[in-house]
Amino acid sequence: MTEIIPGGVTSASTADLLIVPVLADLTWGPGAESVAAQLGPWLTGYLEARQFTGAPGQITVVPGGNLSFGAVAFVGLGDEVDAEALRRAAGSVGRMAAPYASAATTLHLVDVEGAVGAVTLGFLLGAYRFDAYLSDPKTRVNERLELLEAPEGTEAEIQAATAVARGVMLARDLVNRPAVDKAPEVLADRARSLSTEISVEIVDEVEAAERGYGGLLAVGAGSTNPPRMVIMKYEPADAKPFVAFVGKGIVFDSGGLSLKPAKGMETMKTDMAGAAAVYGAMQAIAELELPIRVLGVTPLSENMTGGAAQRPGDVFTAYNGKTVEVLNTDAEGRLVLADGLGIATEAEPDLIVDIATLTGAAKVALGPTVGAIFGNDDEAIAAVEAAARFAGESMWTLPLERSYRSLLDSKNIGDPWGGSILAALFLSEFVNERPWIHLDIAGPARADKMEHYVAKGGTGFSVRTLVELAREMVKKG
Ligand code: BES
Ligand code: MN
Ligand code: ZN
């Protein structure tokens, strides 16, 4: 992976590519001025001809001339530079810099708190690509980014942002992997290499039956790949707050006997994005050595149509003892989460957060890039909203409308309207009134086009919010 290196004002960089940020209306800082002067008077005319104004997302590359760099890339930041503008600009640069062996960027003009972390995260995520399955992977990936003019002591900020970026990239990798290569057993096993500080218990289908994980088993019955419940614990000494993350891990969602149409199935290897986010967040939290107790629960199952598959009208008993009639086998996420939430509730954490690609309705309501927040606790909702905003992930709170509750009585689906709310109400039955947040990431878990630091495919959405939430819980104690 690309290494990010802090460089002092005097550092003599030998990078192939120099990146120069420019504000709207071609506003240069002192650093850019000297670069421009050394390149020659042709530059302003050239940028004008290319219609480069410094607007966000614009990039123009010129030869390095008599500078020590092979090329110089001017990157627009726009006129409102905040952490997200920096992440996005750095993301576009990260992708564009891939063919260069190394790059350096000036940080002048950038008077934003956390600028170094934002640039690091954006650059690493922008440079991300998933080429494990290409028959001819020919992309050369940039190996270093030098942060010129980075203030002293920014190594910690770089390291922290790198840990978060790694967590996001892990989640992306797992989502992007084809379902054939991530059966529940395989994905469960992957948890063992997250961190030596994370203990992992993998419950197989035999033990799951003994413990009464009825939802997990009901969904997994139609697949030849048996389900797994993964229970992970990060328990550093002296950790005060205690959070539980529960991630939906449907490695492929065919819909089961309530089969999806072909089109709707095309991206359903993404249906374990919640579990992937739990893996990514826990890995990052352990790498950051945050003093917080984290319980991670990922019910992993494949929703298929085999001869033993559950039928519409079948009834199962969830881990907490509730019975549920399954009218639609495509509403399977809530069934495996029922058991996951039951396990989390039993551990009595301060807060439970579940993350799930749960309903197409969430995507209808909020579009492809915004996640839905639900919860039974106003303080927790406010904390997650703040964490998401700070981390740069778009999320919006929808109501847990209790008056709709009777629509669900003892079955797994209700009306066609308000599908995300009904799913959230279903989940709320399994947390025993404990503070709980549900993130429906059906839209933002994957992107169908690349944009700034988001690549096409798995996005790793919610990893950054979960890590930020853990940081905030540590601060509050
Ligand atoms: N995994 C899907 C939700 C989904 C749909 C995620 C589209 C991402 C994109 C989930 O298991 C599902 O099928 N939900 C049903 C629920 C319905 C049967 C009540 C849905 O959204 O149609
Ligand atoms: Mn489904
Ligand atoms: Zn699903």
Side-chain angles (χ1 to χ4, degrees), residues 281-348:
M282 287 191 75
Q283 177 185 282
I285 288 168
E287 197 176 328
L288 292 165
E289 298 178 17
L290 294 185
I292 182 172
R293 247 178 99 192
V294 185
L295 168 68
V297 183
T298 57
L300 308 177
S301 201
E302 188 173 36
N303 193 20
M304 299 290 270
T305 59
Q310 66 174 336
R311 310 149 189 85
D314 281 358
V315 176
F316 75 90
T317 306
Y319 181 53
N320 76 346
K322 275 189 210 289
T323 53
V324 180
E325 184 183 8
V326 177
L327 293 187
N328 190 315
T329 64
D330 197 12
E332 84 297 338
R334 60 198 78 182
L335 309 188
V336 301
L337 287 172
D339 292 339
L341 289 170
I343 294 167
T345 302
E346 227 175 29
E348 304 188 344

Side-chain angles (χ1 to χ4, degrees), residues 54-269:
Q58 285 190 321
I59 299 183
T60 293
V61 186
V62 302
N66 42 23
L67 292 169
S68 63
F69 305 94
V72 179
F74 294 92
V75 181
L77 291 182
D79 49 15
E80 264 175 68
V81 185
D82 56 11
E84 183 62 8
L86 286 181
R87 281 184 212 111
R88 291 183 175 203
S92 306
V93 164
R95 178 171 313 110
M96 163 275 166
Y100 300 85
S102 61
T105 185
T106 64
L107 286 172
H108 68 269
L109 283 182
V110 168
D111 187 19
V112 172
E113 207 184 300
V116 167
V119 168
T120 301
L121 186 87
F123 189 87
L124 293 175
L125 294 184
Y128 171 86
R129 61 208 61 224
F130 184 71
D131 48 17
Y133 286 81
L134 295 183
S135 40
D136 182 18
K138 49 177 169 277
T139 41
R140 187 166 132 209
V141 175
N142 183 294
E143 277 152 17
R144 300 154 34 121
L145 175 69
E146 202 177 329
L147 301 179
L148 304 176
E149 301 156 25
E152 298 262 334
T154 44
E155 284 89 347
E157 206 177 325
I158 293 173
Q159 264 179 26
T162 303
V164 176
R166 273 202 205 106
V168 174
M169 292 190 283
L170 167 64
R172 288 182 180 182
D173 277 346
L174 295 175
V175 167
N176 288 336
R177 193 192 293 189
V180 67
D181 288 337
K182 58 181 177 194
E185 292 161 278
V186 175
L187 194 53
D189 202 48
R190 180 64 184 81
R192 296 198 196 278
S193 45
L194 293 177
S195 160
T196 50
E197 298 304 310
I198 297 174
S199 73
V200 178
E201 182 192 4
I202 298 175
V203 182
D204 68 15
E205 72 276 25
V206 178
E207 176 71 18
E210 271 162 34
R211 295 191 192 182
Y213 299 161
L216 180 82
L217 292 166
V219 174
S223 172
T224 45
N225 301 314
R228 292 288 180 266
M229 183 68 78
V230 182
I231 302 171
M232 296 164 277
K233 289 179 183 150
Y234 170 66
E235 295 176 323
D238 308 323
K240 272 236 300 282
F242 179 17
V243 69
F245 297 146
V246 181
K248 171 176 174 182
I250 301 298
V251 299
F252 184 75
D253 182 10
S254 73
L257 288 174
S258 313
L259 197 63
K260 285 183 185 299
K263 201 80 199 141
M265 234 183 270
E266 280 175 8
T267 56
M268 279 304 134
K269 68 173 182 179

